[in-house]
Amino acid sequence: MDVPPRLVIDDGAIARNVERIIRTTGTPLMAVLKADAFGHGPQADVVLGAGARSIGVTTIEEALALRSSGTVAPILSWLNPVDADWAGAVSSDIDLAVPGLPHLFAIAGAAIAIGRPARVHLHLDVGMSRDGAAPDDWKTLMHFAAEWERRGAIRVVGVMAHLSSAQNPDDEETTVERMRFVNGCRLALRAGLRPQARHLAATSAALSRPDTRFDLTRVGAGLFGIDPSGRMELEHAMTLDAPIVSVRDVRAGTGVGYGLSHRTDRDTRLALVPVGYGDGVPRAASHRASVSVRGTRRPVVGVISMDQLVVDVGDLGVREGERAVVFGPGTHGEPTAREWAGWAGTIEHEIVTGIGSRIHREHVPVTRPEAVAGPTAVVGANR
Ligand SMILES: *Cc1c(COP(=O)(O)O)cnc(C)c1O
């Protein structure tokens, strides 16, 4: 097999999404590159080059990996166990989200031990009962944060929260949660804190609710062409394609795959494509999915296996060695990650973050090199 199954990632599409989002929001952008940039691989230089001011990730490990590969822009890490490597994070100038008192004390202790203040963002839960401090705990958290700040252990540089229902721009819940956030920011001021960065909006709210933008937006999905609020035309950056390993001509009524859950309804040709649920092509999409062969949609037949799927290519005359596009931006009629998500009963996020390590990655670089070099240098110089 000359060119193996591969995921082609159009870095230029990501850069254009960044520019479009900043133009639309008029607000500094924290580019969220968690989970390997939603499965898109190294993208820090691309997003910073396109104008993002900082980077957001989940774990300290992700943040340190970015530092190791040369990222000098501010990085925030927001989800870590209470015994995480706080000293390592502070030494590497990683901002840390604080979701409650145990984390606050652990971070302050580590900062004192290494003699360097931790930059922290107080993380408030404004409704979704997930990460962040519960409203009943805000006052105590802020009281102790102010105390540790006075002692020089921490600097509270931000207050953050995450919205539960922003994918529906008209949902009243966003208004309620925004008010809770405003109230939380007020409490922080009253406790004597002076956070410069109040941030609430992720992709959906950033694009559809201007009143949630505050000092910066924390955008992940949108960078990669996903707008759950459906407000903006963004570009998908991924194309997954694979060679056809073999073809065979079969009679009408031939069973296909485990359990023979599909039988051909006519004489036809079947093509074998070597990707399956072990590579992140969801088995739940069986009996609904299609792929693109020679620019036309052909149905996936039988159940999707771990390593392979079968396509009914009909009378196209398809030969082994031709390629099947599993999904892409949709610009050439191929299925999109959104369609696969629909077939599998999930969301696009799960499709793009789920592509397995067995698939080769290829990046199409941003075509304007100066766009990568320029603003990155400015971010570095401003620090
Ligand atoms: C994932 C995440 C984001 C980014 O959300 P998108 O909808 O992908 O833009 C922002 N903030 C937090 C806390 C997150 O976990």
Side-chain angles (χ1 to χ4, degrees):
M1 185 187 310
D2 253 345
V3 182
R6 61 179 180 174
L7 189 63
V8 180
I9 296 156
D10 181 0
D11 293 349
I14 296 168
R16 289 187 292 276
N17 288 335
V18 167
E19 288 163 1
R20 226 166 271 156
I21 290 163
I22 294 172
R23 214 179 308 127
T24 300
T25 62
T27 307
L29 173 68
M30 175 185 287
V32 177
L33 300 183
K34 61 189 181 186
D36 195 30
F38 288 57
H40 291 72
Q43 293 295 343
D45 291 346
V46 171
V47 296
L48 292 166
R53 295 274 184 88
S54 60
I55 291 174
V57 291
T58 306
T59 66
I60 288 174
E61 218 177 353
E62 291 173 304
L64 293 179
L66 287 167
R67 279 280 179 268
S68 301
S69 56
T71 300
V72 296
I75 302 174
L76 168 64
S77 161
W78 58 66
L79 183 57
N80 294 286
V82 75
D83 61 350
D85 180 15
W86 306 119
V90 174
S91 307
S92 293
D93 216 7
I94 308 298
D95 287 14
L96 297 164
V98 174
L101 277 186
H103 284 73
L104 178 68
F105 280 66
I107 292 168
I112 286 172
I114 63 167
R116 182 165 169 180
R119 289 166 47 94
V120 306
H121 299 236
L122 301 182
H123 190 174
L124 310 181
D125 171 25
V126 293
M128 73 190 304
S129 309
R130 199 182 66 170
D131 197 9
D136 286 351
D137 299 335
W138 292 358
K139 270 192 176 165
T140 319
L141 179 65
M142 287 164 186
H143 168 79
F144 281 103
E147 192 59 38
W148 285 115
E149 191 168 70
R150 271 190 291 277
R151 296 195 211 166
I154 64 168
R155 279 183 51 212
V156 178
V157 297
V159 174
M160 65 183 284
H162 194 54
L163 294 163
S164 70
S165 308
Q167 72 279 7
N168 305 316
D170 301 325
D171 197 320
E172 278 303 305
E173 178 63 20
T174 298
T175 307
V176 173
E177 292 180 4
R178 179 189 172 280
M179 283 312 299
R180 290 194 190 116
F181 181 68
V182 169
N183 183 40
C185 292
R186 232 177 254 143
L187 287 176
L189 285 184
R190 223 173 283 157
L193 301 168
R194 294 292 176 268
Q196 321 117 359
R198 297 160 303 158
H199 44 114
L200 176 64
T203 299
S204 297
L207 298 180
S208 66
R209 293 276 307 230
D211 63 339
T212 63
R213 290 171 189 155
F214 295 94
D215 302 315
L216 61 87
T217 63
R218 232 173 32 239
V219 174
L223 310 175
F224 310 106
I226 301 171
D227 173 13
S229 74
R231 285 297 169 95
M232 206 173 165
E233 277 306 310
L234 296 164
E235 296 178 52
H236 283 266
M238 272 187 181
T239 301
L240 174 62
D241 75 351
I244 288 166
V245 170
S246 61
V247 296
R248 86 179 52 190
D249 294 321
V250 298
R251 297 306 234 171
T254 303
V256 183
Y258 285 121
L260 307 182
S261 61
H262 175 82
R263 287 195 180 271
T264 53
D265 56 5
R266 62 198 144 72
D267 294 358
T268 190
R269 181 170 291 182
L270 302 177
L272 179 63
V273 179
V275 294
Y277 61 80
D279 305 298
V281 177
R283 184 176 180 279
S286 301
H287 306 305
R288 284 182 286 273
S290 60
V291 299
S292 182
V293 179
R294 288 198 187 170
T296 67
R297 297 279 186 107
R298 305 304 314 173
V300 174
V301 292
V303 287
I304 295 169
S305 305
M306 185 183 294
D307 317 301
Q308 46 195 306
L309 54 83
V310 175
V311 180
D312 185 335
V313 290
D315 55 7
L316 288 180
V318 169
R319 309 287 316 172
E320 47 275 280
E322 294 188 47
R323 296 191 76 85
V325 181
V326 179
F327 67 84
T331 42
H332 295 96
E334 74 279 11
T336 61
R338 173 175 291 212
E339 286 180 273
W340 273 93
W343 294 327
T346 183
I347 56 175
E348 292 158 86
H349 310 57
E350 195 173 337
I351 303 296
V352 298
T353 54
I355 303 305
S357 55
R358 186 161 58 175
I359 305 290
H360 290 242
R361 265 68 175 172
E362 280 176 25
H363 289 264
V364 180
V366 180
T367 46
R368 296 159 305 145
E370 76 279 8
V372 171
T376 310
V378 173
V379 168
N382 276 350
R383 299 209 62 219

